[in-house]
Amino acid sequence: MNAPEPAAVPRVDPMPHVLNTYGRLPIALTHGRGCWVWDTDGRRYLDGLGGIAVNTLGHGHPRLVPALQDQVARMIHCSNYYEVPLQEQLAAKLCEISGLAGVFFCNSGLEANEGALKIARKYGHDRGIERPEIIVYEKAFHGRSIATLSATGNPKVQKGFEPLVGGFVRVPLNDFAAVQGVAHTNPNVVAVFLEVIQGEGGINPTRTEYLRQLRALCDERNWLLMLDEVQCGLGRTGRWFAHQWAGIRPDVMPMAKGLGSGVPIGAVVVGPRALQVLGPGNHGTTFGGNPLAMRAGVETLRIVEEERLLGNAAAVGEVLMGALKSGLAGEKGVVEVRGQGLMIGIELDRPCGVLLQRAADAGLLISVTAERVVRLLPPLILTADEARQIAALLVPLVRRFLAEPAA
Ligand SMILES: Cc1ncc(COP(=O)(O)O)c(C=O)c1O
């Protein structure tokens, strides 16, 4: 893979004017092609992270780039005071691939989830429930606004930001009796809100049967089933949306990340039960639904479809999973290698944050989440050969790490 022209901005270490909210690696990425990126020193990396499940089409996609250039030249932004035909185009496509009925556009995952939470509360109020409550999950991650961090099931994300927003009831994942228990005792519940595969929580899949049980319970109780597909959606698991493997449909589906292949975008897609909940004046955003983001969404979905990237994610995901499992077979410190399609986690028996820098030193971008889980979320254009290269770089690093005396 040949490098395109590097960007003109040199590295500034350690970015003294940028608030220190991330533990950043001392690497500045400047440009990319396909599944490869380069840094300011000209070093090349295989992108096993995809900007945390964002770069659906990799970097510099030859069909996306000219489409976005064309859109930038036409119009980047216009107000939602006016009709935006590209919004309708993208909304219609999202309804077609999800089987749902309507879309609200925003700019990020947390915004999509805020929209979902507002829909749930308003849905409750419309039905005469003055203090609506929403069932949420242990180890969940829904974002870092005050409401979404309150829905998140990770005390580290919440610490220092109390008082948390109320109206959430927390249960463990995949424990249907726990949800039934809430149903029997709490008349204020209006919705169940969960990720189909928990991402930040450590690549924890929701069982198919559990999802079906939730769907049936929500129908019985007139609750909204709200599935956060921000990380696991948009083709990553080999279907458009991860819940489609269970043959069910949600009532509310927030999504973001991969929808714009890197252009910021979010969307809340709703089914018939939630379609009439929000009306004029109930919700809004200045940037949401702007023509540039909409074009990115339209082109991303078109390219995913035409280049058959759902099938690619499933097939190449199997290659990657197979190579990781066989490479790590018999390693005592490996608790489990799990996931679906191109959303894969390797759970170790100890914290492994140091692997981030070591992988980068070896020319591979990864993430470590929930302290002990190496996470891979590469672009959906990943080839089988690149999948084998990821495994060939990662497996020896993990083995070496596990052979070290515990820190
Ligand atoms: C499942 C899930 N929901 C919501 C979010 C928040 O998205 P954003 O960072 O775009 O606000 C994330 C981000 O990682 C996520 O994984």
Side-chain angles (χ1 to χ4, degrees):
M1 183 70 62
N2 292 325
E5 278 298 299
V9 184
R11 186 166 159 228
V12 183
D13 187 19
M15 303 205 299
H17 299 95
V18 178
L19 291 192
N20 186 22
T21 56
Y22 294 93
R24 296 178 199 268
L25 297 186
I27 295 170
L29 302 173
T30 55
H31 53 292
R33 273 287 178 279
C35 292
W36 298 86
V37 293
W38 284 261
D39 70 11
T40 40
D41 297 329
R43 288 205 58 201
R44 189 178 82 144
Y45 305 83
L46 182 49
D47 188 358
L49 182 58
I52 320 183
V54 168
N55 297 104
T56 303
L57 304 177
H59 305 270
H61 191 281
R63 292 178 65 194
L64 182 67
V65 170
L68 293 181
Q69 285 168 333
D70 172 70
Q71 190 58 48
V72 167
R74 283 172 197 276
M75 179 174 273
I76 295 174
H77 175 82
C78 73
S79 161
N80 279 310
Y81 287 172
Y82 311 101
E83 292 178 358
V84 182
L86 279 164
Q87 275 188 22
E88 178 53 31
Q89 204 179 328
L90 181 55
K93 187 66 190 174
L94 287 173
C95 290
E96 178 200 314
I97 63 177
S98 64
L100 300 181
V103 185
F104 175 84
F105 288 109
C106 52
N107 310 287
S108 66
L110 81 79
E111 276 184 61
N113 285 335
E114 284 277 347
L117 297 175
K118 282 182 71 175
I119 288 170
R121 283 195 170 190
K122 175 85 168 25
Y123 176 77
H125 281 278
D126 291 349
R127 293 167 61 223
I129 298 174
E130 278 178 26
R131 301 190 64 81
E133 298 196 33
I134 299 168
I135 295 178
V136 293
Y137 284 78
E138 291 170 7
K139 297 187 185 172
F141 183 83
H142 297 296
R144 290 178 179 271
S145 66
I146 294 292
T148 57
L149 73 79
S150 301
T152 288
N154 179 349
K156 278 193 186 160
V157 172
Q158 299 170 334
K159 192 169 181 310
F161 300 104
E162 300 86 353
L164 302 180
V165 171
F168 295 113
V169 188
R170 200 167 302 281
V171 295
L173 192 65
N174 289 324
D175 179 351
F176 189 60
V179 182
Q180 279 178 312
V182 178
H184 286 131
T185 54
N186 188 334
N188 291 329
V189 171
V190 293
V192 183
F193 182 37
L194 70 158
E195 301 153 81
V196 181
I197 301 175
Q198 290 183 334
E200 303 304 301
I203 313 292
N204 307 316
T206 304
R207 280 190 293 104
T208 299
E209 188 48 32
Y210 180 76
L211 275 177
R212 292 183 183 145
Q213 287 171 321
L214 286 183
R215 178 66 277 174
L217 184 66
C218 286
D219 287 341
E220 186 190 308
R221 297 271 165 173
N222 251 323
W223 294 349
L224 298 177
L225 179 60
M226 309 207 300
L227 298 181
D228 179 342
E229 291 260 3
V230 167
Q231 189 167 142
C232 60
L234 264 306
R236 184 147 295 281
T237 64
R239 295 249 173 125
W240 280 117
F241 302 106
H243 68 263
Q244 290 173 332
W245 291 102
I248 58 148
R249 282 183 193 163
D251 300 301
V252 180
M253 175 171 61
M255 68 177 76
K257 286 191 184 281
L259 179 56
S261 284
V263 177
I265 187 170
V268 195
V269 187
V270 301
R273 192 173 291 169
L275 192 57
Q276 305 299 335
V277 175
L278 297 181
N282 286 149
H283 199 40
T285 153
T286 299
F287 288 117
N290 73 68
L292 178 61
M294 296 300 98
R295 184 76 183 269
V298 166
E299 299 295 341
T300 297
L301 298 184
R302 194 202 312 272
I303 295 167
V304 166
E305 206 159 55
E306 290 179 8
E307 297 191 357
R308 300 175 197 277
L309 296 182
L310 302 184
N312 191 65
V316 175
E318 272 185 32
V319 172
L320 183 51
M321 183 74 96
L324 292 170
K325 279 190 172 165
S326 66
L328 293 169
E331 264 316 312
K332 261 182 56 211
V334 176
V335 177
E336 193 181 15
V337 185
R338 58 176 176 257
Q340 198 169 8
L342 291 173
M343 182 172 190
I344 295 178
I346 305 167
E347 182 177 347
L348 305 185
D349 64 356
R350 65 200 78 169
C352 59
V354 293
L355 286 176
L356 222 57
Q357 178 70 61
R358 293 187 193 178
D361 291 343
L364 175 66
L365 304 185
I366 60 165
S367 112
V368 170
T369 191
E371 290 190 347
R372 298 183 298 136
V373 182
V374 176
R375 178 176 51 164
L376 296 169
L377 300 161
L380 304 192
I381 57 165
L382 192 78
T383 65
D385 186 49
E386 287 165 340
R388 283 186 279 268
Q389 289 185 61
I390 290 179
L393 290 166
L394 190 54
V395 164
L397 282 179
V398 172
R399 281 180 170 277
R400 224 173 297 136
F401 171 71
L402 291 173
E404 290 168 10

